[in-house]
Amino acid sequence: MPSIARLNRLYDRATSLVTLGAWECDLDTSALTWTEGVYQLFGLSPLIAPDRAATVELYHEESRREMEALRAEAIATGRGFALDARIQTVAGVERWMRLTTGVEQERGRARRLYGAKQDITEDRARTERLRRLAERDPLTGLANRGMFQTNFYDLPDALLRARGVSALVLIDLDDFKLINDRLGHSAGDDCLRQVAARLKQLFADAEMVARIGGDEFAVLLRGIHKRDELGHRLEQVLAGLRRPILCHGEPVAMSASAGATLIDDMAVHDPALRFAEADSALYLAKGHGRNRVRVFVPDPGAGIRPEWAAMRPAMCLPLGIR
């Protein structure tokens, strides 16, 4: 049986090859305990005791929000987590770190967090190159349906909220088949590329703009928390999409319909239900003349029967579905 000293030397030599270290945080005192690899990862001297507040500042803002949200959830539930976080060393060198976390409990209360931190910068760069090929729609360059699935359906609730996603918008072009029939699919593809470019510009502040079908798009919006605000924003978007597009030298009139629902006003995020709300709102917009916006409005007094707010310029008309 190897001695403890020999096993420690073996661990240090092996982890130095991949910049991997172990860590622990005492939740009562916030005191950190690190092995050599963690000091290397952040570019800090092992002669100086690590400080949690200073270390957290080395996370990029989005990764810091995600880490703190998952950390709080782990402390509350006793369940660990894994996160790929973007950080920078004290010298300003950007790195990607894989953070794995477990929870040590005593008498049902979280007392310590522990785990490993590994430098995955090179792996991340390779993965990003492959992911850009796999997750982008080849025609428009927008996120594809798979990427939307990953970032809406498969993303943990805590991460979705940490990223500030507050609304789901579904947009469908009106009578797009007629353009394909009249001008041909090549011209139709050109129109889709131009529509996608407009959507990227009109939703420059969105978390994601994705093409999820032939002429269907999904948008994850941030920072909008009121239905009338969401409705008026989407009216502006539809106005931008109504400008004629030049396809193969011929001006083509375009219009679109939109359905949307708020996400952050729900106690528990149910992605399938949120998508169904936005999709039903889009269906209603199509059925009431197209070139319109519908925003889902839940009716707590009517069981599962939904109600809708019809958003038009300077108008908010209630429409009930029976």
Side-chain angles (χ1 to χ4, degrees), residues 40-176:
Q40 292 178 7
L41 184 59
F42 287 101
L44 292 167
S45 169
L47 300 177
I48 302 174
D51 176 76
R52 183 175 185 276
T55 303
V56 168
E57 288 300 314
L58 296 176
Y59 285 69
H60 278 252
E61 182 178 354
E62 182 176 341
S63 290
R64 181 165 57 246
R65 287 199 307 267
E66 293 179 357
M67 183 273 292
E68 293 286 32
L70 290 173
R71 183 179 189 270
E73 186 174 58
I75 293 171
T77 64
R79 295 191 299 269
F81 65 90
L83 173 69
D84 289 355
R86 187 180 172 199
I87 64 169
Q88 65 178 13
T89 68
V90 290
V93 178
E94 290 204 352
R95 288 177 175 168
W96 278 92
M97 172 188 73
R98 177 155 297 148
L99 168 65
T100 54
T101 300
V103 183
E104 181 181 330
Q105 293 183 309
E106 293 179 7
R107 296 181 182 145
R109 175 173 172 264
R111 298 301 301 269
R112 296 174 191 83
L113 300 180
Y114 65 93
K117 296 183 180 183
Q118 180 181 358
D119 188 339
I120 59 166
T121 305
E122 292 184 7
D123 289 344
R124 180 81 181 197
R126 286 192 292 267
T127 301
E128 280 297 314
R129 288 193 292 270
L130 294 174
R131 190 167 66 178
R132 279 195 293 271
L133 294 175
E135 294 185 343
R136 291 290 162 183
D137 173 55
L139 177 65
T140 65
L142 298 177
N144 62 20
R145 190 179 186 92
M147 191 174 181
F148 173 75
Q149 169 87 22
T150 299
N151 286 271
F152 182 68
Y153 279 91
D154 301 338
L155 199 69
D157 188 11
L159 285 189
L160 191 75
R161 296 181 187 278
R163 293 180 182 182
V165 176
S166 58
L168 168 65
V169 181
L170 300 180
I171 295 175
D172 189 83
L173 301 184
D174 295 329
D175 299 318
F176 184 72

